[in-house]
Amino acid sequence: EGINRLKADVRDTTDLVRNPKYANFTYSKEWQINASQSYPLAEVMFTWGDTVETCFDGYQALSIKNPSAGVTYQWFEDEKDEKPFFIGSNWVTPRLKKDKIYYVSSSFMGKQSPKKAIYIQVLPAIARPSNIAIATADGKYRISVAEDIVERYHLVWYLSAATQTAGRRGSTFTIAVKEAPTTIYVELVDKRTTCRSER
């Protein structure tokens, strides 16, 4: 509230188009703003809106839309919390298995904005396929799943639950009987959401 001074300084630092005599020249403009009252901070806005979807047992990145320099963004577990659990304009949730609400407010020069809720909707877990066929021929195992699974999901096959490298892809998996482990794992990847099932 009262008289405020806004000053903008611009210095030309381009190399190829700048006239050398302007190298140390600064363009300045100044305004005086007479504020009749003190204005509250506006509620924060989120990059992807107030509601986001995430995969079951997945992480979710949350970010403030157009964060302002000098403004502190505080994240809360509950609307009534006074102490934030995180400060910053970007934050990644832990793995989520159920819907969750977080709250964010901004602070600047002693002012605090109202807390804004962001809703995270967790998509249902992808169920294990029940219709799996196993056939043995010519010394090989051939494992396949029902066609309705193939229409909705990409399938990735693994020889170990802990394998980190990409597995073999496709609706069927073939392996020589002599090379086969006692357990083979399949992971379903939703073609629309890219959510993944457990192996």
Side-chain angles (χ1 to χ4, degrees):
E1 186 175 357
I3 301 295
N4 297 268
R5 184 171 69 98
L6 175 62
K7 184 180 181 184
D9 291 331
V10 179
R11 187 164 62 90
D12 183 1
T13 60
T14 53
D15 291 328
L16 299 178
V17 298
R18 183 189 63 213
N19 186 324
K21 69 180 182 179
Y22 295 148
N24 298 315
F25 188 77
T26 300
Y27 302 85
S28 293
K29 179 71 176 177
E30 189 171 311
W31 298 264
Q32 276 200 346
I33 302 168
N34 186 2
S36 60
Q37 65 184 59
S38 179
Y39 292 92
L41 288 179
E43 284 187 336
V44 297
M45 295 181 67
F46 302 105
T47 302
W48 308 114
D50 298 342
T51 303
V52 294
E53 289 183 340
T54 193
C55 298
F56 181 85
D57 199 29
Y59 303 100
Q60 179 62 51
L62 303 175
S63 59
I64 304 298
K65 185 176 183 179
N66 301 326
S68 299
V71 176
T72 302
Y73 298 95
Q74 301 172 326
W75 299 75
F76 301 88
E77 289 264 9
D78 190 274
E79 191 174 14
K80 296 178 181 177
D81 288 350
E82 294 184 9
K83 187 175 180 182
F85 67 84
F86 180 77
I87 295 175
S89 58
N90 299 292
W91 180 67
V92 177
T93 71
R95 290 185 180 275
L96 297 173
K97 294 188 177 181
K98 61 181 181 178
D99 295 352
K100 179 73 177 171
I101 303 175
Y102 291 101
Y103 298 86
V104 184
S105 71
S106 60
S107 61
F108 181 71
M109 296 182 70
K111 293 183 181 181
Q112 189 91 12
S113 75
K115 289 178 181 169
K116 181 77 174 283
I118 182 166
Y119 301 86
I120 303 175
Q121 295 178 345
V122 177
L123 298 171
I126 298 173
R128 173 182 172 172
S130 57
N131 192 0
I132 299 176
I134 303 174
T136 307
D138 302 324
K140 294 181 179 179
Y141 289 124
R142 186 175 185 273
I143 308 169
S144 58
V145 298
E147 195 63 33
D148 61 332
I149 294 290
V150 178
E151 289 175 7
R152 183 170 178 186
Y153 301 101
H154 294 293
L155 280 78
V156 187
W157 302 86
Y158 298 89
L159 298 179
S160 164
T163 303
Q164 296 299 313
T165 57
R168 302 180 207 175
R169 295 179 178 269
S171 60
T172 60
F173 181 81
T174 304
I175 189 169
V177 173
K178 293 180 180 178
E179 299 173 9
T182 55
T183 308
I184 292 174
Y185 298 84
V186 64
E187 180 181 59
L188 277 59
V189 183
D190 192 300
K191 293 179 179 179
R192 184 180 64 84
T193 65
T194 69
C195 291
R196 292 174 175 265
S197 70
E198 292 183 345
R199 291 184 187 172

